[in-house]
Every structure is written in C-alpha cells, then in structure tokens.
Amino acid sequence: MPGIVSRLRRAVGGDSDTTADTTGTDARPDGGTVTEGTRRERRGPIERVGQSLDDRFGGDFVESLPFWLPPFLLMGLFVYGAIVWNLLISLTDYQGFAQAPDYGNLDFEMYVRAATDSGVIDATINTFILIVAFTSATLVIGLALAILIDRGIRFENTFRTIYLLPMSLSFVVTAQFWLWMYNFNNGVVNIALGTFGIGPIDWIGNSSIVLWAVIFALVWQFSGYAMVVYLAGLRAIPSEHYEAAKVDGASTLRMYRRVIIPQLKGATISASVVLMVFALKAFDFLYSLVSNFRPPNGADILATKMVREAYSNQNWAFGAAIAIILFAMALSIIGPYLVYQYRRGNL
Amino acid sequence: MTDTDGETSVATDADSGGTASARTDGGTVTGRTGLRARLARVDAGRVGLYVTLLALVAFYMTPIETGLVTSFKTTQAVTETAPFALPGEGFTLEKWQTAFDVLIRGVGNSVLYAVPATIISALFGSLAAYGLTTTNLSGRYKVAVIAMFVAGIFIPYQAVLIPLTQFWSNVVPLDQLLGFVWALGINDDYVGIVELIVTHVAYGIPICTILFRSYYKNMSEEMIESARLDGASLRRVYRRIVLPLSTPMFAVVLIYQFTQIWNDLLFTLVLVATESSAAAPVVLILAGLGTSQEGTDFALRMAGAFLAALPTLAVYIAFGDEFAEGVAT
Amino acid sequence: MADLELDSLTKIFHDGDDEIVAVDDVSVSIDDGEFVVVVGPSGCGKSTTLRMVAGLESVTSGTIRLDGESIEDVKSQNRDIAMVFQSYALYPHMTVRGNMAFGLEESTDLPDDEIQRRVEETAELLDIPELLDRKPTELSGGQQQRVALGRAIVRDPAVFLMDEPLSNLDAKLRAQMRTELQRLQEDLGVTTVYVTHDQTEAMTMGDRIAILDGGRLQQVATPLKCYHEPANRFVAGFLGEPAMNFFDVEHRDGTLVAAAFEYPISDDVAADLGSTRELVLGIRPEAVEIGGSVTDEHHFGMTVDVVEPMGDENTVYLTFGDEATETNTLVATTGGMRQISAGQSVVAHIPEDAIHVFDRTSGRALHNRRVKSEDVAEIGPE
C-alpha cells in the first residue's frame, strides 16, 4: 500500500506541476483533455522534485484525493469501465450459454444486424416517440401545475405532496395500478369513457394504442417531478417581475408568456434532460406490465429489446450492440447538456 | 379557468395577505359597491382555481385510490363492483394476507440491500462532493472529473448490464469468494444481495455527489477558509465543520437514494434473476405476483403493490419536503 | 509577533487563454507590530494579496517571508496566521465558545482547561463574556463581528489579516469599531494587514497605508504623507473627498497653460518640472481659498455653479467661464457657515505652495505641496 500511495503522490505531483508549468506559457490551451499517457510520461523527470512541487502547485490536490478518488474510481469502473467493456462485447459474436465472450474476432456484424432488424427499427421509432411525447407532455403539465400551485393557494404543501406522490412509487407498483386502470372490462378508464359513450377500448392489447397508454401513465407518474422543478424556477424569479409586468398593464396570460416562462429556460432544460433519460430507461414499467421480457405488442422500446435479446435469448453481443445504440442516444442528450452547464459555469 | 384571468391583479397577490390589502384599498378608493363587485369576482376566480386543483387531485389519486379499494375486495367483488367503489359486502383482508405471506421475505431482502447501499452511497457522495468542491484544485481537471460524475447520473443502465453480469460471474465471482459464508449455512442465493449493494453504491455515487455538491457550493467559502487558517486539515474541516452542517442534505440524499434503490427492478432482475430465489427482493416478486393463476388476480396484485410501496410511501409522506428537494436539484 | 515581507509578489489568473494579472510585483516590508492598511478601488488586487499571505491563493511568483522565512510553500493551516473575514465566517453549528476554541484546538496541543481559560480571557477583553454560550445566529451583526475578532485574537497568531472586517456594519457602529480595533491592535501589538476600499479607514487606522491600483503598488507611506505627498496622480486622486482637482496643462516658460486659465509658477516649482511639458496641475478642494479680491495671477474671478451644503462645510463647484465644462470646473470646500449661492461671482485663490504637478504621461508626481512640519497637525485630513 505505501508503495502505491507514494507513487500516486509522485504522479500527482508531476501532474499538478505540469499544469502550473504550462499555464504560464499557454503551451497547451486545451490542457483539460490531455490524456493519462502524456501525464505519465512526464512523471519520470519530475519524480525527484515531486514532493516539493506538489506542495507548491498542487494546492489541496494530494490532501483531497482520499475524499474523492475512491468514490470516483468505483463509479468510473462501474460506469465508464463497463461501457467500454460493453462496446468490446458488442464487437464479438458472443451468444448462448458460454461463460465469457471470445474477444479474438472483432467486427461490426452486430451493428449491421441491428440496422437491418425490423424489431430494432420498430423499437427505435417507439423509443423516439416515447421520448418526445412523454417529455413534452410532462413538461407542459408540470408547468401548468407549478403555475397553479404558485398562485398563493392554501394548503399548497398538501397539493404539491399529492401531485408528486406517484413519483415516489416504483415503476413496478405503478404498472400494477395502470394495468388495472386500463382493464378492458372493469377498468376505470373504460368506465369513464363509457359514460360518454366511447369504448370500451383494449388499451394494452391494441398494438397501435398501447404505446400512448404507456406514455399517459408515465406522464401521470412524472408530471409531479416537472412541477417541482418548475416551482423552484418560479420561486427564483423576484416578485418585482410580476409586479412590474402588472404595472405595465400585461394580462396574466401575457405576463406568463412574455415575462415568466422565458425565465424558466434553465428549469426546462434540466427537467427535459432528466425526463428524456427516464424515458430511455422505462424498462421497469414495461416489464412489469406483463411480467415478461416481451412487452405488449407495439410498445417495444430499445431498453426492453436490449434486455430481452441478452437475458432471454442469450444474444449477448447483439444485446450489447443495442445497448450501445441506446447509450449513443443518451449521450446525444447528455453531451449538449454538459456543454450547456459548463458554459454557465455550473460544473 | 377562463374566468381566472380577469381578477388576477388581486388573486396573484398571494394568499390571505394579498386579498386583505386589496380589500382595504378597494374600500377607500372605489367605495362599497365597487368593493363588493370586486370581492365577488375574486371569489369566483379563487373557486375556479381550487376546483381545478381538486380535479387534479382526483386525477392523480384515482389510480391509487382504485388500487387501494380493490385490494380489499374478494375476487367476486372485483368483477361486480365499480373499480373505484368501496368494497362494501365484498370486503376481505384475504388478499393482503396472501400478499403479505408471499412478499414478506422479499421486503426483508430489499431492506437487506437497500439500507446499506443507501447509507454507503450517501457517505461516498458527501466525501466526493467535499473533496471536489471546497478544496483548492486546478480548475480544468476538476471540471473534467465533475463532468464524469454528472454524466454518470444519466447513463442508461442497459449500457452497462452485460459487463455487470460478466463482472460478477467472471471477474469477481463473489459466489465462490464468499464460500466460507455459505458454509455457515446461509443460502448462497444471498450473494445477489451483496452484489446489489456494491452495484447500487457504484451507480448511486454520481447523483449523491452532485446533490451534495450543490449543497456544498452554497456553503460559505470564507467559513471553510477560516477553518483552514485556524489550523484544521482537510480531514478535520470535514469532520468538524462540513459533516455536522450536512445533516439536512443527508436527509434529502438518503430519502432520494432509498426510494431509488428500493424501487429499482432492472438490477434485481439481472443479478438475482428469479423470484423464487431465496434472496428475491420485493419488486421482483411483485412483478410476477397474481399472474400465475389463470387470469389476473387484480385484488392480490393491488395488495402486493401497496405492500411493496409501503416503505417508500411512508418515507415520502413523512419527508415530502426533503424528497421534493432531492428531485428538484 | 513577527515581521512580514512581501517580495515581488505576483499573481496571475488564467481565464481560458487570457491571463489576468491580479497582483503585479508587489513588495512591502511590514515591521513587527505594525498596522498596515492595504487600500484601493475594487479589483485592484488587495484581497488577492491578502489571500496569498493567508495561503488561500497560490503565489505565481515572488516570496512571502514571515520573520525571514519564506512561507509561500506552507499550507495555510500551518502558517500561524489568523484572518477576520468580511462575512465573519463564524461556524454556525458551534457556540461562540466553540468558535473561539476551534483554532486553539486545531493548531495547538493545549489542554482543554487552558483553551477555555484563554477563550474566557479574550471574551473578557472584547467585552463579550455573556455571549459565550450563544450560537452565531442569535447574535447581532456587531456582536458577530466581535466574535470573529475574538476568534482571531485568542490564537495569538504571528499576523492578523483583516479583509474588510467592518464593511457589513452600519455607519455608526463602524466608526466605533474603527477606534476599538485600533486600540486593540496597539495593546496586542500583533502585526496586522488590513484590507479596505474605504479611504476613511485607511487614513485613520493604519500606521502606514499601501495603495494598490490595477495590481500594482502605487505608494506605501504614512497616511499623511500619502495625502500630502502622493507619489502619483492616482494616489492623489484616490485619497481625499471631494477628490483633488486636476487640470491638463502645458508648461510654457514659467507658466502652466490650461484650457481655461493660465497659472504662472515660481522658479522653484519650475525646477521640479524639468523639461517635461505635458503636465497635470492638481489642487485639493480645501486648499482653494474663496473670497478677497484679485491681487495676483493666482487669484481668479469665477462663477459659482452649484453649492452642496454638507453642514460642517460647503462643497462649491466654480467655473472659469459662464458655462460649466469638464475642463473649467474647480471644486472647493468652504466653512459651513459661509453664505454662498449659485450664480454668484467670487474670487478663488489657488496658492502656489498648495499645488501638485504630475507628469501627464506617467502620472508621476513632479512637484508636491510644501508641508511645513509644524503645520501637519493642524492641516490633518478631515
């Protein structure tokens, strides 16, 4: 152990020293992306003076390592290590009951297969529909709820607690509730529509409706979340803005549209990123609807398709390829979000 | 909704205070008739607002209420009464009894991994956030590390699932490593519980770190600097200043994490696999509950759903504010 | 107790590819027990300088020596320095006693009863023993300020650093604490560096003041020397309220020619100016005498543009012509009892022994007013 620690120290000393050295000359303007390799190469010559340089330029670096490095490594191994590994597996032909994949023969066969598999294509389309419809509906309803709650009502906390309640429930639990709500003969939804002379409709069985039924249930579960985020955003707007708009003679509707809602951009962005990623992960809900890896016809999404291919059909490499597609979609959402947060100095 | 627009000048003035001040103003300026007309409009608007709010309560509560009343019905009553009506004649506790018998070992198993995983991930999150927030580090490396934490929150777990299975079966075969434990007579299915703890801690660290970081960022920088100047090392500053002041955030993070871990199905599905396992968590058993018989026993499913949701519901009702803060951050 | 030496201290911040020089080659020697006030406009680098001394900011280049030993490599927790922050930075979860004991507990091996004895002694000194068992949130701003001070004093450090410690107090309390702080510092005799943007605090509290602008040290001297013999135009303009009058002038054969007037100078003054022709003439408002008649070329017939009565004195804006422009306005102060009103014609005297002349390009003072040593006590700053 002490050996490792002192090596780490030296490595860190070298590292932080390089930072200070190069910042002066601006030799490496995008130093943030300098890789491990480069840093390690520079460790050697600096080893001798490592300790004193570390004290000089490292600031709290060495002292802060015990705090953040273990959690970072654990997280890094399970998140980023696993993603790289998954990428590797997706390039093999791993399937069946073998213990481990054969890494000898790597190719993109699984991606070609995914691109031509109608199941994957359908699942991709469904995933897009789910992301877009679910996210936008949840945001709109959440905003409406937040505005209603923010109008100085009594029992504000009670209302908020009730609207947010579904969010505290497991997908497994809410799936049971909605399965019963959507029941063909005796479900609340069909009974309610029946009073208007509509239906009954087979919500789960009809493959062109089921996805929308799922989206509706998910909106029910998550609109409380959007409400809470928007509420925090509304509370951050100084009351002078409301008063100024009123003094300027704006109607309530115009006040919200012109003055208040534009200021909720930050809240909207954070909430949509979280919701979109939730939508990508909606596996739990769909699995629980049927207690099976095969969701109702017409509601298959990439998340369920991936798990089914891997854990039900033992098509591990194929599943890994689908997982990478899913990851790429998530990355296309998270990437811009990170850049946005970085620009605003929130990282 | 349409009539809320007209009198907003008063209605948005906030709660009771706003209405009261509007009343005195109105009295002096426009006289009694004006006041009365104005009050009438105010009330109409407020009534509309509350009706909307109550309708929404009905919308959000219906699935839950329906589930609750159904769980107390006999199989016959389920088909014969309206789903949201009270059970009346067909009242029974039998379904709860059955659900309890089936699920109770699952509840025990869930507690076994959810509690330690929650506590450990919150602690790791606090440590990491402290190490990355209140310390003096070179800016760009710090940003890179933090960006990795933030991105870690949003990774779809499907992208790590197969390596995770590989990891626990090939790289760290806990099943064999813990052989001495199974020798003590403990069912070796419980290896799944250990795996779940480590897994949930690892994937919980990013969100815990970011939650704590948002809290520590708002902590007075001068106070931390003052403690350093008072001669305290980073470790001592954490122990004596930051940790004691983190209590409110620990409440938020613990509640959020507990809910997340308790509710998660995916990891239990791939790490424990079958509901018949001795170590099956409650969500896994619930997912298959009431389907094995012919047709679906909805009353049993609802009773089971409530039983499984009970711990998170209790936490939510007791600490609603902390939960709201956790999800809003 | 120690002397503190800043030697060519420099701090460069990086903002992307931009370099921001926050502190530029600052050198000051502070004697044991001395009270030095670092003053300057916001963003001048005074806080950064202080934070480097505290070890809260790394040093880009240069040296900080405490009793002859360089300390810039020493972590702040080991520097034996106590700091009073603008926000007081009290630990909210600890009592006043806990706050004051914290530093001794962390930085020394003293037994508990000795720590308690010192805490109580210090509380006695600051007149706050009854607050010892309260939490910071239960204290008023002034009380919190005292606790912050007590927390620094109890440690008996080598150096006190104070970062605008009075700026969160109301005006009356601030004046009171100013005096008390000075008294305490004199009694304790601890080397103190005090940062402020408030020139009243700078003038009244420091043994010496160090004036910073744009990260560069402009002058280090006693307050009165800085006031009466400023090293450059910045110092002259920064100290004093209302600020010194400045006129761009050109030196032509013993006469300073401004846009609005001409001012003949004696050979003594002209000798100070050397061959520099592009100059700035400076005169403090209180040095301008109003009244009398035009007796020589240093008297000017002027029009009163605006009068701001302050009670004890009037600030009078005079113009050389009828219209007020940037180049022809002269600010003067007169006794509060004098009756002067706008539009009135008056004679203003700019005495030659009170003028300052600066090099227009470098800003350096070429000639400062003459201060007879016996006058200083009388002239004094307001």
Side-chain angles (χ1 to χ4, degrees), chain A:
Chain A
M1 261 323 264
I4 295 170
V5 170
S6 67
R7 274 175 58 139
L8 254 176
R9 268 177 175 263
R10 265 179 257 128
V12 164
D15 160 19
S16 30
D17 148 65
T18 0
T19 322
D21 267 0
T22 50
T23 42
T25 54
D26 264 345
R28 209 187 283 161
D30 54 350
T33 55
V34 170
T35 52
E36 295 288 320
T38 335
R39 275 191 248 157
R40 259 185 220 127
E41 278 164 26
R42 299 216 41 176
R43 188 208 300 172
I46 288 150
E47 246 171 335
R48 280 162 288 131
V49 270
Q51 191 55 56
S52 72
L53 288 171
D54 164 37
D55 284 346
R56 184 165 193 153
F57 299 111
D60 294 332
F61 202 88
V62 172
E63 215 185 332
S64 74
L65 281 181
F67 291 94
W68 63 265
L69 197 60
F72 180 69
L73 289 180
L74 183 61
M75 185 272 297
L77 174 74
F78 273 79
V79 174
Y80 297 100
I83 289 171
V84 172
W85 192 359
N86 187 79
L87 183 65
L88 205 60
I89 292 174
S90 75
L91 300 177
T92 67
D93 299 326
Y94 183 34
Q95 63 171 11
F97 292 93
Q99 266 294 308
D102 165 24
Y103 298 105
N105 186 15
L106 302 181
D107 54 38
F108 289 95
E109 189 197 323
M110 291 304 157
Y111 291 93
V112 175
R113 183 171 153 193
T116 51
D117 183 314
S118 67
V120 172
I121 294 167
D122 287 348
T124 310
I125 294 169
N126 283 346
T127 304
F128 268 114
I129 295 175
L130 181 68
I131 289 176
V132 173
F134 162 73
T135 307
S136 42
T138 307
L139 287 177
V140 169
I141 293 175
L143 177 62
L145 290 177
I147 290 175
L148 287 178
I149 288 224
D150 194 40
R151 298 198 54 181
I153 55 164
R154 276 162 190 262
F155 312 115
E156 180 192 310
N157 275 346
T158 315
F159 281 116
R160 200 195 62 194
T161 307
I162 289 171
Y163 298 157
L164 188 59
L165 182 67
M167 170 88 183
S168 74
L169 298 173
S170 164
F171 274 131
V172 184
V173 172
T174 57
Q176 311 303 324
F177 290 158
W178 282 97
L179 207 53
W180 181 220
M181 292 286 288
Y182 285 140
N183 186 268
F184 184 77
N185 295 319
N186 211 6
V188 173
V189 178
N190 276 345
I191 290 176
L193 290 176
T195 59
F196 298 103
I198 307 169
I201 295 165
D202 187 358
W203 297 100
I204 307 293
N206 186 332
S207 62
S208 57
I209 294 180
V210 60
L211 187 62
W212 300 99
V214 167
I215 290 172
F216 187 80
L218 291 178
V219 170
W220 169 82
Q221 187 165 2
F222 285 100
S223 42
Y225 161 75
M227 169 196 72
V228 172
V229 175
Y230 275 126
L231 210 48
L234 285 173
R235 296 282 148 89
I237 298 172
S239 60
E240 285 86 352
H241 289 206
Y242 292 87
E243 284 154 12
K246 246 178 273 166
V247 171
D248 287 345
S251 71
T252 307
L253 215 62
R254 286 179 65 85
M255 176 182 79
Y256 275 106
R257 217 186 59 216
R258 304 274 308 275
V259 182
I260 305 303
I261 292 176
Q263 297 194 53
L264 295 173
K265 193 177 147 210
T268 306
I269 289 173
S270 326
S272 21
V273 169
V274 172
L275 289 172
M276 285 193 251
V277 175
F278 259 123
L280 286 178
K281 294 202 263 193
F283 168 86
D284 285 13
F285 188 85
L286 289 163
Y287 178 90
S288 310
L289 275 181
V290 287
S291 314
N292 195 309
F293 286 115
R294 178 109 194 91
N297 261 338
D300 200 14
I301 59 172
L302 284 175
T304 48
K305 174 86 174 158
M306 180 269 152
V307 180
R308 185 168 68 252
E309 287 298 345
Y311 291 87
S312 182
N313 304 341
Q314 267 76 41
N315 289 327
W316 303 104
F318 188 42
I322 299 172
I324 290 297
I325 297 171
L326 195 60
F327 172 69
M329 289 174 79
L331 204 61
S332 69
I333 300 167
I334 308 162
Y337 175 70
L338 284 177
V339 172
Y340 168 78
Q341 292 288 14
Y342 175 70
R343 292 238 174 92
R344 291 186 16 158
N346 282 351
L347 281 187

Side-chain angles (χ1 to χ4, degrees), chain B residues 222 225-226 228-229 240, chain C residues 51 77 87 105 151 155:
Chain B
E222 293 195 336
E225 291 172 349
S226 177
R228 298 298 303 269
L229 279 168
R240 295 201 60 190
Chain C
R51 290 170 60 80
Q77 67 235 47
S87 67
E105 287 164 6
R151 201 170 62 176
R155 284 187 46 208

Side-chain angles (χ1 to χ4, degrees), chain B residues 10-77:
Chain B
V10 179
T12 38
D13 257 340
D15 229 354
S16 46
T19 328
S21 67
R23 201 173 295 169
T24 38
D25 282 350
T28 47
V29 179
T30 51
R32 285 198 67 189
T33 27
L35 168 67
R36 193 169 295 163
R38 208 166 163 184
L39 267 178
R41 284 196 310 168
V42 169
D43 286 347
R46 296 305 275 183
V47 167
L49 181 61
Y50 282 107
V51 166
T52 314
L53 287 167
L54 287 172
L56 284 164
V57 169
F59 170 68
Y60 283 100
M61 291 307 283
T62 301
I64 298 169
E65 190 268 350
T66 310
L68 191 63
V69 291
T70 304
S71 71
F72 290 108
K73 291 175 183 175
T74 59
T75 310
Q76 197 192 1

Side-chain angles (χ1 to χ4, degrees), chain C residues 29-307:
Chain C
S29 282
I30 299 164
D31 293 336
D32 184 14
E34 196 180 10
F35 194 128
V36 169
V37 176
V38 182
V39 67
S42 56
C44 71
K46 55 190 191 297
S47 278
T48 308
T49 307
L50 197 72
R51 290 170 60 80
M52 282 194 282
V53 176
L56 300 172
E57 211 72 75
S58 65
V59 173
T60 306
S61 69
T63 314
I64 303 167
R65 274 186 288 271
L66 192 60
D67 263 343
E69 286 189 38
S70 67
I71 56 164
E72 67 271 12
D73 294 345
V74 180
K75 289 206 167 198
S76 40
Q77 67 235 47
N78 303 324
R79 285 196 186 184
D80 195 18
I81 279 173
M83 183 155 167
V84 179
F85 291 87
Q86 184 174 2
S87 67
Y88 314 140
L90 300 178
Y91 313 127
H93 58 302
M94 297 181 188
T95 59
V96 169
R97 191 187 294 278
N99 266 280
M100 289 172 68
F102 184 86
L104 288 176
E105 287 164 6
E106 293 296 334
S107 63
T108 68
D109 298 326
L110 292 176
D112 280 356
D113 52 342
E114 173 63 13
I115 290 178
Q116 286 308 319
R117 198 187 59 73
R118 291 203 193 176
V119 166
E120 274 157 32
E121 202 179 271
T122 309
E124 208 65 56
L125 178 75
L126 285 164
D127 211 18
I128 51 169
E130 72 282 0
L131 303 182
L132 276 177
D133 294 309
R134 295 214 207 145
K135 290 267 181 76
T137 46
E138 301 165 48
L139 306 179
S140 70
Q143 288 170 330
Q144 289 185 25
Q145 215 280 331
R146 275 166 190 270
V147 175
L149 214 54
R151 201 170 62 176
I153 291 171
V154 75
R155 284 187 46 208
D156 190 20
V159 176
F160 278 148
L161 304 179
M162 304 198 184
D163 191 1
E164 311 231 7
L166 304 183
S167 61
N168 283 348
L169 301 178
D170 62 55
K172 207 163 184 181
L173 205 53
R174 191 156 59 221
Q176 190 187 324
M177 281 308 292
R178 216 159 57 202
T179 328
E180 186 163 338
L181 245 175
Q182 257 178 300
R183 180 181 60 76
L184 269 172
Q185 199 271 340
E186 252 166 60
D187 289 352
L188 298 168
V190 178
T191 314
T192 303
V193 183
Y194 185 106
V195 160
T196 182
H197 67 274
D198 181 321
Q199 53 157 308
T200 318
E201 282 176 23
M203 293 298 292
T204 55
M205 295 177 79
D207 295 328
R208 281 190 301 158
I209 59 183
I211 298 159
L212 281 179
D213 182 43
R216 288 178 169 274
L217 190 62
Q218 306 293 321
Q219 189 169 11
V220 190
T222 62
L224 290 185
K225 186 164 166 85
C226 288
Y227 188 84
H228 294 300
E229 296 175 36
N232 56 37
R233 186 183 159 169
F234 174 81
V235 173
F238 183 75
L239 294 178
E241 175 64 39
M244 183 184 280
N245 294 287
F246 293 112
F247 300 97
D248 284 354
V249 294
E250 198 179 326
H251 184 200
R252 289 187 204 146
D253 303 327
T255 302
L256 299 178
V257 182
F261 63 94
E262 291 188 3
Y263 191 92
I265 47 175
S266 63
D267 291 347
D268 288 355
V269 176
D272 284 348
L273 306 185
S275 60
T276 318
R277 301 179 64 86
E278 304 279 292
L279 301 163
V280 175
L281 170 68
I283 178 80
R284 291 221 176 262
E286 70 270 18
V288 178
E289 294 160 9
I290 295 180
S293 52
V294 179
T295 52
D296 65 21
E297 287 165 307
H298 294 158
H299 288 75
F300 301 92
M302 301 187 79
T303 313
V304 178
D305 185 32
V306 177
V307 180

Side-chain angles (χ1 to χ4, degrees), chain B residues 67-143:
Chain B
L68 191 63
V69 291
T70 304
S71 71
F72 290 108
K73 291 175 183 175
T74 59
T75 310
Q76 197 192 1
V78 167
T79 50
E80 286 172 1
T81 58
F84 43 82
L86 291 173
E89 296 282 300
F91 177 83
T92 179
L93 285 176
E94 179 205 340
K95 305 295 179 184
W96 277 83
Q97 186 62 52
T98 314
F100 185 83
D101 290 343
V102 178
L103 289 177
I104 189 64
R105 74 187 170 92
V107 172
N109 290 332
S110 287
V111 170
L112 222 49
Y113 70 86
V115 171
T118 301
I119 294 171
I120 297 170
S121 56
L123 213 65
F124 268 141
S126 167
L127 286 168
Y130 169 72
L132 290 170
T133 307
T134 56
T135 54
N136 191 6
L137 296 181
S138 160
R140 44 189 167 189
Y141 294 108
K142 191 159 93 171
V143 166

